[in-house]
PDB file of all heavy atoms in Angstrom:
ATOM      1  N   GLN L  72     122.004 132.682 103.518  1.00 98.00           N
ATOM      2  CA  GLN L  72     122.135 132.254 102.128  1.00 98.00           C
ATOM      3  C   GLN L  72     121.968 133.475 101.236  1.00 98.00           C
ATOM      4  O   GLN L  72     120.897 134.089 101.191  1.00 98.00           O
ATOM      5  CB  GLN L  72     121.092 131.202 101.768  1.00 98.00           C
ATOM      6  CG  GLN L  72     121.126 130.768 100.304  1.00 98.00           C
ATOM      7  CD  GLN L  72     122.465 130.166  99.904  1.00 98.00           C
ATOM      8  OE1 GLN L  72     122.875 129.126 100.407  1.00 98.00           O
ATOM      9  NE2 GLN L  72     123.176 130.837  98.995  1.00 98.00           N
ATOM     10  N   ILE L  73     123.041 133.859 100.541  1.00 98.00           N
ATOM     11  CA  ILE L  73     123.036 135.071  99.725  1.00 98.00           C
ATOM     12  C   ILE L  73     122.645 134.727  98.297  1.00 98.00           C
ATOM     13  O   ILE L  73     123.139 133.761  97.718  1.00 98.00           O
ATOM     14  CB  ILE L  73     124.428 135.738  99.736  1.00 98.00           C
ATOM     15  CG1 ILE L  73     124.854 136.053 101.173  1.00 98.00           C
ATOM     16  CG2 ILE L  73     124.425 137.004  98.888  1.00 98.00           C
ATOM     17  CD1 ILE L  73     126.306 136.492 101.291  1.00 98.00           C
ATOM     18  N   CYS L  74     121.766 135.555  97.731  1.00 98.00           N
ATOM     19  CA  CYS L  74     121.380 135.406  96.330  1.00 98.00           C
ATOM     20  C   CYS L  74     121.457 136.768  95.649  1.00 98.00           C
ATOM     21  O   CYS L  74     120.832 137.737  96.103  1.00 98.00           O
ATOM     22  CB  CYS L  74     119.970 134.840  96.203  1.00 98.00           C
ATOM     23  SG  CYS L  74     119.342 134.801  94.500  1.00 98.00           S
ATOM     24  N   ILE L  75     122.231 136.849  94.582  1.00 98.00           N
ATOM     25  CA  ILE L  75     122.339 138.075  93.784  1.00 98.00           C
ATOM     26  C   ILE L  75     121.393 137.940  92.601  1.00 98.00           C
ATOM     27  O   ILE L  75     121.481 136.987  91.831  1.00 98.00           O
ATOM     28  CB  ILE L  75     123.774 138.282  93.271  1.00 98.00           C
ATOM     29  CG1 ILE L  75     124.764 138.258  94.429  1.00 98.00           C
ATOM     30  CG2 ILE L  75     123.886 139.587  92.488  1.00 98.00           C
ATOM     31  CD1 ILE L  75     126.226 138.216  93.987  1.00 98.00           C
ATOM     32  N   ILE L  76     120.480 138.888  92.464  1.00 98.00           N
ATOM     33  CA  ILE L  76     119.524 138.863  91.359  1.00 98.00           C
ATOM     34  C   ILE L  76     119.993 139.855  90.306  1.00 98.00           C
ATOM     35  O   ILE L  76     119.766 141.059  90.387  1.00 98.00           O
ATOM     36  CB  ILE L  76     118.099 139.188  91.850  1.00 98.00           C
ATOM     37  CG1 ILE L  76     117.681 138.171  92.915  1.00 98.00           C
ATOM     38  CG2 ILE L  76     117.113 139.170  90.689  1.00 98.00           C
ATOM     39  CD1 ILE L  76     116.316 138.426  93.511  1.00 98.00           C
ATOM     40  N   GLY L  77     120.699 139.338  89.318  1.00 97.00           N
ATOM     41  CA  GLY L  77     121.301 140.156  88.276  1.00 97.00           C
ATOM     42  C   GLY L  77     122.763 139.801  88.115  1.00 97.00           C
ATOM     43  O   GLY L  77     123.445 139.481  89.096  1.00 97.00           O
ATOM     44  N   SER L  78     123.247 139.848  86.876  1.00 96.00           N
ATOM     45  CA  SER L  78     124.632 139.423  86.625  1.00 96.00           C
ATOM     46  C   SER L  78     125.301 140.288  85.560  1.00 96.00           C
ATOM     47  O   SER L  78     126.126 139.804  84.791  1.00 96.00           O
ATOM     48  CB  SER L  78     124.649 137.956  86.173  1.00 96.00           C
ATOM     49  OG  SER L  78     123.855 137.792  85.008  1.00 96.00           O
ATOM     50  N   GLY L  79     124.921 141.557  85.514  1.00 94.00           N
ATOM     51  CA  GLY L  79     125.567 142.473  84.581  1.00 94.00           C
ATOM     52  C   GLY L  79     126.903 142.948  85.119  1.00 94.00           C
ATOM     53  O   GLY L  79     127.542 142.287  85.941  1.00 94.00           O
ATOM     54  N   TRP L  81     127.731 145.560  87.158  1.00 95.00           N
ATOM     55  CA  TRP L  81     127.735 145.862  88.587  1.00 95.00           C
ATOM     56  C   TRP L  81     127.394 144.619  89.406  1.00 95.00           C
ATOM     57  O   TRP L  81     127.962 144.378  90.471  1.00 95.00           O
ATOM     58  CB  TRP L  81     126.773 146.999  88.867  1.00 95.00           C
ATOM     59  CG  TRP L  81     126.686 147.569  90.258  1.00 95.00           C
ATOM     60  CD1 TRP L  81     125.583 148.148  90.805  1.00 95.00           C
ATOM     61  CD2 TRP L  81     127.713 147.680  91.258  1.00 95.00           C
ATOM     62  NE1 TRP L  81     125.860 148.588  92.080  1.00 95.00           N
ATOM     63  CE2 TRP L  81     127.167 148.317  92.375  1.00 95.00           C
ATOM     64  CE3 TRP L  81     129.048 147.279  91.309  1.00 95.00           C
ATOM     65  CZ2 TRP L  81     127.886 148.564  93.552  1.00 95.00           C
ATOM     66  CZ3 TRP L  81     129.774 147.525  92.480  1.00 95.00           C
ATOM     67  CH2 TRP L  81     129.202 148.162  93.575  1.00 95.00           C
ATOM     68  N   GLY L  82     126.468 143.793  88.905  1.00 97.00           N
ATOM     69  CA  GLY L  82     126.134 142.567  89.602  1.00 97.00           C
ATOM     70  C   GLY L  82     127.327 141.636  89.722  1.00 97.00           C
ATOM     71  O   GLY L  82     127.560 141.026  90.778  1.00 97.00           O
ATOM     72  N   SER L  83     128.106 141.504  88.657  1.00 98.00           N
ATOM     73  CA  SER L  83     129.293 140.650  88.693  1.00 98.00           C
ATOM     74  C   SER L  83     130.375 141.262  89.575  1.00 98.00           C
ATOM     75  O   SER L  83     131.113 140.536  90.262  1.00 98.00           O
ATOM     76  CB  SER L  83     129.826 140.439  87.274  1.00 98.00           C
ATOM     77  OG  SER L  83     128.868 139.775  86.470  1.00 98.00           O
ATOM     78  N   ALA L  84     130.487 142.593  89.570  1.00 98.00           N
ATOM     79  CA  ALA L  84     131.494 143.254  90.406  1.00 98.00           C
ATOM     80  C   ALA L  84     131.196 143.048  91.889  1.00 98.00           C
ATOM     81  O   ALA L  84     132.089 142.723  92.680  1.00 98.00           O
ATOM     82  CB  ALA L  84     131.557 144.741  90.075  1.00 98.00           C
ATOM     83  N   ILE L  85     129.929 143.233  92.276  1.00 98.00           N
ATOM     84  CA  ILE L  85     129.596 143.056  93.701  1.00 98.00           C
ATOM     85  C   ILE L  85     129.696 141.591  94.087  1.00 98.00           C
ATOM     86  O   ILE L  85     129.919 141.261  95.264  1.00 98.00           O
ATOM     87  CB  ILE L  85     128.193 143.632  94.020  1.00 98.00           C
ATOM     88  CG1 ILE L  85     128.061 143.934  95.522  1.00 98.00           C
ATOM     89  CG2 ILE L  85     127.084 142.707  93.577  1.00 98.00           C
ATOM     90  CD1 ILE L  85     128.982 145.018  96.027  1.00 98.00           C
ATOM     91  N   ALA L  86     129.575 140.690  93.117  1.00 98.00           N
ATOM     92  CA  ALA L  86     129.738 139.261  93.407  1.00 98.00           C
ATOM     93  C   ALA L  86     131.153 138.948  93.878  1.00 98.00           C
ATOM     94  O   ALA L  86     131.361 137.997  94.650  1.00 98.00           O
ATOM     95  CB  ALA L  86     129.399 138.434  92.165  1.00 98.00           C
ATOM     96  N   THR L  87     132.147 139.726  93.419  1.00 98.00           N
ATOM     97  CA  THR L  87     133.515 139.490  93.887  1.00 98.00           C
ATOM     98  C   THR L  87     133.617 139.769  95.380  1.00 98.00           C
ATOM     99  O   THR L  87     134.308 139.052  96.115  1.00 98.00           O
ATOM    100  CB  THR L  87     134.522 140.376  93.122  1.00 98.00           C
ATOM    101  OG1 THR L  87     134.271 141.763  93.393  1.00 98.00           O
ATOM    102  CG2 THR L  87     134.430 140.136  91.621  1.00 98.00           C
ATOM    103  N   ILE L  88     132.925 140.814  95.853  1.00 98.00           N
ATOM    104  CA  ILE L  88     132.920 141.159  97.281  1.00 98.00           C
ATOM    105  C   ILE L  88     132.152 140.114  98.071  1.00 98.00           C
ATOM    106  O   ILE L  88     132.622 139.581  99.086  1.00 98.00           O
ATOM    107  CB  ILE L  88     132.296 142.549  97.501  1.00 98.00           C
ATOM    108  CG1 ILE L  88     133.039 143.624  96.701  1.00 98.00           C
ATOM    109  CG2 ILE L  88     132.244 142.886  98.988  1.00 98.00           C
ATOM    110  CD1 ILE L  88     134.386 143.981  97.214  1.00 98.00           C
ATOM    111  N   LEU L  89     130.934 139.815  97.626  1.00 98.00           N
ATOM    112  CA  LEU L  89     130.058 138.913  98.370  1.00 98.00           C
ATOM    113  C   LEU L  89     130.612 137.494  98.406  1.00 98.00           C
ATOM    114  O   LEU L  89     130.445 136.784  99.403  1.00 98.00           O
ATOM    115  CB  LEU L  89     128.661 138.930  97.763  1.00 98.00           C
ATOM    116  CG  LEU L  89     127.940 140.282  97.817  1.00 98.00           C
ATOM    117  CD1 LEU L  89     126.576 140.194  97.134  1.00 98.00           C
ATOM    118  CD2 LEU L  89     127.770 140.756  99.251  1.00 98.00           C
ATOM    119  N   GLY L  90     131.250 137.070  97.330  1.00 98.00           N
ATOM    120  CA  GLY L  90     131.852 135.739  97.314  1.00 98.00           C
ATOM    121  C   GLY L  90     132.945 135.608  98.363  1.00 98.00           C
ATOM    122  O   GLY L  90     132.995 134.614  99.110  1.00 98.00           O
ATOM    123  N   VAL L 103     127.495 131.480  97.075  1.00 98.00           N
ATOM    124  CA  VAL L 103     126.705 132.662  96.721  1.00 98.00           C
ATOM    125  C   VAL L 103     126.065 132.396  95.361  1.00 98.00           C
ATOM    126  O   VAL L 103     126.769 132.155  94.373  1.00 98.00           O
ATOM    127  CB  VAL L 103     127.591 133.924  96.650  1.00 98.00           C
ATOM    128  CG1 VAL L 103     126.789 135.119  96.117  1.00 98.00           C
ATOM    129  CG2 VAL L 103     128.168 134.244  98.020  1.00 98.00           C
ATOM    130  N   ARG L 104     124.744 132.437  95.321  1.00 98.00           N
ATOM    131  CA  ARG L 104     124.039 132.180  94.067  1.00 98.00           C
ATOM    132  C   ARG L 104     123.827 133.492  93.321  1.00 98.00           C
ATOM    133  O   ARG L 104     123.460 134.503  93.917  1.00 98.00           O
ATOM    134  CB  ARG L 104     122.692 131.518  94.346  1.00 98.00           C
ATOM    135  CG  ARG L 104     122.801 130.200  95.119  1.00 98.00           C
ATOM    136  CD  ARG L 104     121.425 129.739  95.538  1.00 98.00           C
ATOM    137  NE  ARG L 104     121.477 128.613  96.463  1.00 98.00           N
ATOM    138  CZ  ARG L 104     120.496 128.299  97.285  1.00 98.00           C
ATOM    139  NH1 ARG L 104     119.377 129.021  97.299  1.00 98.00           N
ATOM    140  NH2 ARG L 104     120.612 127.270  98.086  1.00 98.00           N
ATOM    141  N   MET L 105     124.035 133.458  92.024  1.00 98.00           N
ATOM    142  CA  MET L 105     123.836 134.640  91.184  1.00 98.00           C
ATOM    143  C   MET L 105     122.902 134.268  90.032  1.00 98.00           C
ATOM    144  O   MET L 105     123.251 133.438  89.190  1.00 98.00           O
ATOM    145  CB  MET L 105     125.175 135.156  90.651  1.00 98.00           C
ATOM    146  CG  MET L 105     125.057 136.394  89.779  1.00 98.00           C
ATOM    147  SD  MET L 105     126.664 137.165  89.411  1.00 98.00           S
ATOM    148  CE  MET L 105     127.392 135.934  88.320  1.00 98.00           C
ATOM    149  N   TRP L 106     121.714 134.881  90.037  1.00 98.00           N
ATOM    150  CA  TRP L 106     120.768 134.606  88.958  1.00 98.00           C
ATOM    151  C   TRP L 106     121.235 135.296  87.687  1.00 98.00           C
ATOM    152  O   TRP L 106     121.536 136.494  87.669  1.00 98.00           O
ATOM    153  CB  TRP L 106     119.368 135.095  89.303  1.00 98.00           C
ATOM    154  CG  TRP L 106     118.409 134.895  88.153  1.00 98.00           C
ATOM    155  CD1 TRP L 106     117.989 133.704  87.649  1.00 98.00           C
ATOM    156  CD2 TRP L 106     117.796 135.920  87.363  1.00 98.00           C
ATOM    157  NE1 TRP L 106     117.131 133.912  86.584  1.00 98.00           N
ATOM    158  CE2 TRP L 106     117.000 135.262  86.387  1.00 98.00           C
ATOM    159  CE3 TRP L 106     117.829 137.310  87.375  1.00 98.00           C
ATOM    160  CZ2 TRP L 106     116.251 135.959  85.442  1.00 98.00           C
ATOM    161  CZ3 TRP L 106     117.092 138.004  86.435  1.00 98.00           C
ATOM    162  CH2 TRP L 106     116.313 137.331  85.488  1.00 98.00           C
ATOM    163  N   VAL L 107     121.305 134.486  86.610  1.00 98.00           N
ATOM    164  CA  VAL L 107     121.778 134.971  85.319  1.00 98.00           C
ATOM    165  C   VAL L 107     120.640 134.894  84.313  1.00 98.00           C
ATOM    166  O   VAL L 107     120.025 133.837  84.151  1.00 98.00           O
ATOM    167  CB  VAL L 107     122.967 134.125  84.819  1.00 98.00           C
ATOM    168  CG1 VAL L 107     123.378 134.544  83.412  1.00 98.00           C
ATOM    169  CG2 VAL L 107     124.142 134.235  85.783  1.00 98.00           C
ATOM    170  N   LEU L 148     135.940 135.813  89.089  1.00 98.00           N
ATOM    171  CA  LEU L 148     134.978 135.763  90.178  1.00 98.00           C
ATOM    172  C   LEU L 148     135.408 134.685  91.169  1.00 98.00           C
ATOM    173  O   LEU L 148     136.036 133.691  90.781  1.00 98.00           O
ATOM    174  CB  LEU L 148     133.588 135.436  89.652  1.00 98.00           C
ATOM    175  CG  LEU L 148     133.001 136.392  88.607  1.00 98.00           C
ATOM    176  CD1 LEU L 148     131.613 135.914  88.177  1.00 98.00           C
ATOM    177  CD2 LEU L 148     132.922 137.810  89.144  1.00 98.00           C
ATOM    178  N   VAL L 152     131.028 131.576  93.822  1.00 98.00           N
ATOM    179  CA  VAL L 152     129.892 132.263  93.187  1.00 98.00           C
ATOM    180  C   VAL L 152     129.367 131.355  92.078  1.00 98.00           C
ATOM    181  O   VAL L 152     130.089 131.043  91.123  1.00 98.00           O
ATOM    182  CB  VAL L 152     130.305 133.631  92.617  1.00 98.00           C
ATOM    183  CG1 VAL L 152     129.145 134.260  91.833  1.00 98.00           C
ATOM    184  CG2 VAL L 152     130.751 134.565  93.736  1.00 98.00           C
ATOM    185  N   LYS L 153     128.110 130.960  92.214  1.00 98.00           N
ATOM    186  CA  LYS L 153     127.519 130.019  91.260  1.00 98.00           C
ATOM    187  C   LYS L 153     126.459 130.715  90.430  1.00 98.00           C
ATOM    188  O   LYS L 153     125.501 131.268  90.960  1.00 98.00           O
ATOM    189  CB  LYS L 153     126.904 128.826  92.000  1.00 98.00           C
ATOM    190  CG  LYS L 153     126.302 127.773  91.075  1.00 98.00           C
ATOM    191  CD  LYS L 153     125.702 126.617  91.864  1.00 98.00           C
ATOM    192  CE  LYS L 153     125.094 125.562  90.930  1.00 98.00           C
ATOM    193  NZ  LYS L 153     124.480 124.444  91.689  1.00 98.00           N
ATOM    194  N   ALA L 154     126.621 130.701  89.111  1.00 98.00           N
ATOM    195  CA  ALA L 154     125.639 131.289  88.197  1.00 98.00           C
ATOM    196  C   ALA L 154     124.502 130.303  87.971  1.00 98.00           C
ATOM    197  O   ALA L 154     124.734 129.142  87.630  1.00 98.00           O
ATOM    198  CB  ALA L 154     126.307 131.642  86.873  1.00 98.00           C
ATOM    199  N   ILE L 155     123.264 130.786  88.155  1.00 98.00           N
ATOM    200  CA  ILE L 155     122.092 129.930  88.035  1.00 98.00           C
ATOM    201  C   ILE L 155     121.063 130.625  87.146  1.00 98.00           C
ATOM    202  O   ILE L 155     120.586 131.715  87.492  1.00 98.00           O
ATOM    203  CB  ILE L 155     121.477 129.631  89.420  1.00 98.00           C
ATOM    204  CG1 ILE L 155     122.501 128.946  90.329  1.00 98.00           C
ATOM    205  CG2 ILE L 155     120.220 128.768  89.285  1.00 98.00           C
ATOM    206  CD1 ILE L 155     122.022 128.715  91.751  1.00 98.00           C
ATOM    207  N   LEU L 158     115.535 131.210  88.163  1.00 98.00           N
ATOM    208  CA  LEU L 158     115.331 132.154  89.260  1.00 98.00           C
ATOM    209  C   LEU L 158     114.843 131.460  90.523  1.00 98.00           C
ATOM    210  O   LEU L 158     115.277 131.789  91.635  1.00 98.00           O
ATOM    211  CB  LEU L 158     114.347 133.244  88.832  1.00 98.00           C
ATOM    212  CG  LEU L 158     114.052 134.343  89.865  1.00 98.00           C
ATOM    213  CD1 LEU L 158     115.316 135.088  90.248  1.00 98.00           C
ATOM    214  CD2 LEU L 158     112.998 135.315  89.325  1.00 98.00           C
ATOM    215  N   ALA L 161     117.756 129.773  92.177  1.00 98.00           N
ATOM    216  CA  ALA L 161     118.691 130.752  92.732  1.00 98.00           C
ATOM    217  C   ALA L 161     118.190 131.330  94.055  1.00 98.00           C
ATOM    218  O   ALA L 161     118.971 131.557  94.980  1.00 98.00           O
ATOM    219  CB  ALA L 161     118.932 131.869  91.728  1.00 98.00           C
ATOM    220  N   CYS L 162     116.881 131.549  94.159  1.00 98.00           N
ATOM    221  CA  CYS L 162     116.297 132.198  95.337  1.00 98.00           C
ATOM    222  C   CYS L 162     115.883 131.230  96.432  1.00 98.00           C
ATOM    223  O   CYS L 162     115.448 131.669  97.504  1.00 98.00           O
ATOM    224  CB  CYS L 162     115.077 133.013  94.932  1.00 98.00           C
ATOM    225  SG  CYS L 162     115.425 134.442  93.895  1.00 98.00           S
ATOM    226  N   ALA L 165     116.666 131.637 100.225  1.00 98.00           N
ATOM    227  CA  ALA L 165     117.604 132.751 100.413  1.00 98.00           C
ATOM    228  C   ALA L 165     117.179 133.604 101.600  1.00 98.00           C
ATOM    229  O   ALA L 165     115.987 133.836 101.827  1.00 98.00           O
ATOM    230  CB  ALA L 165     117.672 133.600  99.150  1.00 98.00           C
ATOM    231  N   LEU L 167     119.161 136.600 102.155  1.00 98.00           N
ATOM    232  CA  LEU L 167     119.566 137.946 101.742  1.00 98.00           C
ATOM    233  C   LEU L 167     119.530 138.027 100.227  1.00 98.00           C
ATOM    234  O   LEU L 167     120.289 137.339  99.537  1.00 98.00           O
ATOM    235  CB  LEU L 167     120.975 138.281 102.248  1.00 98.00           C
ATOM    236  CG  LEU L 167     121.518 139.657 101.822  1.00 98.00           C
ATOM    237  CD1 LEU L 167     120.634 140.779 102.374  1.00 98.00           C
ATOM    238  CD2 LEU L 167     122.968 139.842 102.278  1.00 98.00           C
ATOM    239  N   LEU L 168     118.627 138.866  99.714  1.00 98.00           N
ATOM    240  CA  LEU L 168     118.519 139.095  98.277  1.00 98.00           C
ATOM    241  C   LEU L 168     119.230 140.396  97.933  1.00 98.00           C
ATOM    242  O   LEU L 168     118.992 141.432  98.559  1.00 98.00           O
ATOM    243  CB  LEU L 168     117.058 139.190  97.852  1.00 98.00           C
ATOM    244  CG  LEU L 168     116.186 137.956  98.074  1.00 98.00           C
ATOM    245  CD1 LEU L 168     114.735 138.268  97.694  1.00 98.00           C
ATOM    246  CD2 LEU L 168     116.692 136.769  97.272  1.00 98.00           C
ATOM    247  N   VAL L 169     120.098 140.348  96.933  1.00 98.00           N
ATOM    248  CA  VAL L 169     120.811 141.534  96.471  1.00 98.00           C
ATOM    249  C   VAL L 169     120.315 141.840  95.060  1.00 98.00           C
ATOM    250  O   VAL L 169     120.608 141.096  94.118  1.00 98.00           O
ATOM    251  CB  VAL L 169     122.334 141.304  96.486  1.00 98.00           C
ATOM    252  CG1 VAL L 169     123.061 142.557  96.001  1.00 98.00           C
ATOM    253  CG2 VAL L 169     122.800 140.926  97.887  1.00 98.00           C
ATOM    254  N   PHE L 170     119.547 142.915  94.933  1.00 98.00           N
ATOM    255  CA  PHE L 170     118.922 143.258  93.657  1.00 98.00           C
ATOM    256  C   PHE L 170     119.844 144.177  92.872  1.00 98.00           C
ATOM    257  O   PHE L 170     120.186 145.271  93.318  1.00 98.00           O
ATOM    258  CB  PHE L 170     117.580 143.955  93.886  1.00 98.00           C
ATOM    259  CG  PHE L 170     116.545 143.091  94.543  1.00 98.00           C
ATOM    260  CD1 PHE L 170     116.430 143.036  95.927  1.00 98.00           C
ATOM    261  CD2 PHE L 170     115.672 142.320  93.781  1.00 98.00           C
ATOM    262  CE1 PHE L 170     115.469 142.237  96.538  1.00 98.00           C
ATOM    263  CE2 PHE L 170     114.715 141.519  94.368  1.00 98.00           C
ATOM    264  CZ  PHE L 170     114.609 141.475  95.759  1.00 98.00           C
ATOM    265  N   VAL L 171     120.241 143.735  91.663  1.00 97.00           N
ATOM    266  CA  VAL L 171     121.129 144.559  90.844  1.00 97.00           C
ATOM    267  C   VAL L 171     120.829 144.274  89.369  1.00 97.00           C
ATOM    268  O   VAL L 171     121.567 143.605  88.676  1.00 97.00           O
ATOM    269  CB  VAL L 171     122.613 144.312  91.233  1.00 97.00           C
ATOM    270  CG1 VAL L 171     122.971 142.848  91.180  1.00 97.00           C
ATOM    271  CG2 VAL L 171     123.563 145.143  90.393  1.00 97.00           C
ATOM    272  N   LEU L 172     119.710 144.827  88.935  1.00 94.00           N
ATOM    273  CA  LEU L 172     119.234 144.664  87.560  1.00 94.00           C
ATOM    274  C   LEU L 172     118.323 145.840  87.238  1.00 94.00           C
ATOM    275  O   LEU L 172     117.871 146.535  88.155  1.00 94.00           O
ATOM    276  CB  LEU L 172     118.489 143.339  87.381  1.00 94.00           C
ATOM    277  CG  LEU L 172     117.064 143.206  87.942  1.00 94.00           C
ATOM    278  CD1 LEU L 172     116.420 141.921  87.429  1.00 94.00           C
ATOM    279  CD2 LEU L 172     117.032 143.218  89.456  1.00 94.00           C
ATOM    280  N   VAL L 196     118.616 143.944  99.829  1.00 98.00           N
ATOM    281  CA  VAL L 196     119.410 145.152  99.626  1.00 98.00           C
ATOM    282  C   VAL L 196     119.378 145.444  98.133  1.00 98.00           C
ATOM    283  O   VAL L 196     119.752 144.606  97.317  1.00 98.00           O
ATOM    284  CB  VAL L 196     120.865 144.980 100.094  1.00 98.00           C
ATOM    285  CG1 VAL L 196     121.676 146.240  99.759  1.00 98.00           C
ATOM    286  CG2 VAL L 196     120.926 144.704 101.588  1.00 98.00           C
ATOM    287  N   LEU L 198     120.681 147.485  94.885  1.00 98.00           N
ATOM    288  CA  LEU L 198     121.773 148.266  94.307  1.00 98.00           C
ATOM    289  C   LEU L 198     121.297 148.974  93.039  1.00 98.00           C
ATOM    290  O   LEU L 198     122.101 149.482  92.256  1.00 98.00           O
ATOM    291  CB  LEU L 198     122.963 147.368  93.980  1.00 98.00           C
ATOM    292  CG  LEU L 198     123.904 147.002  95.130  1.00 98.00           C
ATOM    293  CD1 LEU L 198     123.216 146.202  96.214  1.00 98.00           C
ATOM    294  CD2 LEU L 198     125.108 146.229  94.608  1.00 98.00           C
ATOM    295  N   PHE L 267     128.842 143.015 103.140  1.00 98.00           N
ATOM    296  CA  PHE L 267     129.284 143.867 102.028  1.00 98.00           C
ATOM    297  C   PHE L 267     130.667 144.481 102.264  1.00 98.00           C
ATOM    298  O   PHE L 267     131.305 144.945 101.321  1.00 98.00           O
ATOM    299  CB  PHE L 267     128.278 144.988 101.790  1.00 98.00           C
ATOM    300  CG  PHE L 267     127.011 144.547 101.118  1.00 98.00           C
ATOM    301  CD1 PHE L 267     125.880 144.238 101.859  1.00 98.00           C
ATOM    302  CD2 PHE L 267     126.944 144.413  99.740  1.00 98.00           C
ATOM    303  CE1 PHE L 267     124.710 143.818 101.246  1.00 98.00           C
ATOM    304  CE2 PHE L 267     125.793 143.992  99.112  1.00 98.00           C
ATOM    305  CZ  PHE L 267     124.664 143.695  99.867  1.00 98.00           C
TER     306      PHE L 267
END
Side-chain angles (χ1 to χ4, degrees):
Q72 177 60 64
I73 303 170
C74 173
I75 305 170
I76 301 178
S78 58
W81 185 209
S83 298
I85 201 65
T87 64
I88 303 288
L89 297 178
V103 173
R104 302 171 189 158
M105 181 169 70
W106 176 66
V107 175
L148 302 179
V152 174
K153 182 180 180 181
I155 301 175
L158 182 60
C162 293
L167 178 62
L168 298 176
V169 180
F170 295 89
V171 54
L172 75 169
V196 176
L198 279 63
F267 285 96

